Each structure stands twice: as structure tokens, then as C-alpha cells.
Amino acid sequence: MDDPLLVLASASPRRARILKELGVPFRVVVSNEDESLQPGEAGAAAVERLARAKAQAVAREETLPVLAADTEVLCDDDILGKPANEGEARDMLRRLRGRSHWVVTGLCLVHGQVARSGVERSRVTFAATPDDEVAWYAATGEPLDKAGGYHVDGRGALFIDTVEGSPSNVAGLPVRLLLRVAREMDVDLGWARP
């Protein structure tokens, strides 16, 4: 295995999978930062603040660049976090069906004393899904650790009509934003430069 070029400050298997598929050798150090939203905080501001906090917390103990991200689903400007149980998952999915919503991911890369962050937005449109399909999906357990109660690369893809914007953003790690931030910081992730 190659020596890591990066520390991923996330326990997300989806983010780890994306980095592996990009060929970036990394290791995981999970941040224990409080991920609570502040009263009245807008979704885009929240995800960027949380990504920065997680990256900076892990970077205090690391010499490698540290990457963190935070993803939320916004519907009517309300933040739909991770459902706590099957009932909450059903409620979220019923709210999303037959309409569009936004997925926003804040990403932060910290190396030494330098931190760069940004936010990616993607618009996702769900099909008009009947109650029995919503109930079936909620019962699978897949929605329980996913913002908005669905997994774009799993069974949740059955409900998605369209994605406008970055598909990797909907999975939790916007790769074009990562590329831009890494290049701004001159952080080598093993990718050829044009």
C-alpha cells in the first residue's frame, strides 16, 4: 500500500470510497467535533463551518494535509439531517418525493497553518414515490445514517429522477471542489497537473 498523502477526518465510508476510486492514498482519523447546528444557521454556512472545525481539530495532531467535509440536504431552506429512526426516514422521504431539493457539502483542506474551504451545491429531483415504496426503503435501514434519509449510490438511487451539478457532492465529497482547493494550496494528491 502506498504511503498516505492525506488524512481523511471522517468516518464516512462513502467519502473513503470516493478517495480510493480517485487513487488517493489516505488514512482516517475521525474528528470528535460537535456537529450541532447553531440556531438560525443557514445550510451552506453550517456545512462549511463544520468541515472547517473537523479538519482543524484533526490537523492539530497531523503533519499530512487533512480533509474534512460535511453534507446536508436542504428542502424549503430547512436542513434535513440524518433520520434517527425509520419513522423519521419515512417522513423525510415523503417530504422530498416528487420535488427538488439541494444537497450542500462544505469541504475543508488544512495543511500546516493554511486552511481552504468551499461549498458545493447540487440540485436533486425525486420521483413521485408511493407510500409503500417509501416504507420499504425506510425499512431497509439504509437511510438512517444519511443526510436527507437516502443514499445516492445505494437503493436510494431508485427514487432519484435527476441530479444537476456534482454527483460526487450528493455522495458527500465534491471531487472538483477538492481538486480546486488542493491546487490552490499546492497539495499533491497524486493527480497529474494539466
Side-chain angles (χ1 to χ4, degrees):
M1 183 172 182
D2 294 331
D3 289 337
L5 297 175
L6 183 74
V7 174
L8 176 61
S10 173
S12 166
R14 291 160 301 284
R15 292 185 183 115
R17 178 187 51 79
I18 291 169
L19 284 177
K20 285 178 189 168
E21 289 172 354
L22 291 171
V24 178
F26 66 96
R27 61 185 169 79
V28 173
V29 177
V30 178
S31 160
N32 292 317
E33 286 299 295
D34 179 9
E35 295 187 39
S36 301
L37 300 174
Q38 296 175 349
E41 189 172 31
V47 295
E48 189 166 14
R49 176 185 60 79
L50 291 170
R52 276 184 160 292
K54 290 187 274 189
Q56 289 172 332
V58 171
R60 289 185 201 111
E61 305 296 325
E62 297 293 337
T63 57
L64 288 172
V66 175
L67 171 66
D70 191 78
T71 302
E72 296 292 350
V73 170
L74 308 179
C75 185
D76 301 325
D77 293 326
D78 293 331
I79 298 172
L80 303 184
K82 298 174 183 177
N85 54 51
E86 191 177 317
E88 282 187 18
R90 281 193 309 269
D91 290 345
M92 283 184 191
L93 293 164
R94 282 194 290 256
R95 184 170 178 186
L96 296 174
R97 68 181 171 189
R99 59 187 305 203
S100 296
H101 61 275
W102 292 95
V103 177
V104 293
T105 300
L107 178 145
C108 183
L109 188 61
V110 176
H111 191 213
Q113 300 300 311
V114 180
R116 293 278 187 281
S117 62
V119 175
E120 185 74 35
R121 294 166 180 80
S122 300
R123 184 179 167 146
V124 178
T125 302
F126 264 33
T129 308
D131 282 339
D132 61 332
E133 292 179 15
V134 166
W136 164 81
Y137 181 55
T140 68
E142 185 179 90
L144 296 184
D145 69 339
K146 317 291 187 301
Y150 70 93
H151 178 31
V152 67
D153 292 328
R155 294 178 187 124
L158 295 167
F159 308 110
I160 297 172
D161 268 339
T162 61
V163 174
E164 300 170 41
S166 168
S168 64
N169 176 52
V170 183
L173 187 62
V175 297
R176 288 297 298 175
L177 178 58
L178 173 58
L179 177 63
R180 179 179 59 79
V181 169
R183 285 183 175 166
E184 285 174 2
M185 295 177 67
D186 202 28
V187 170
D188 177 17
L189 297 179
W191 302 324
R193 294 187 73 93

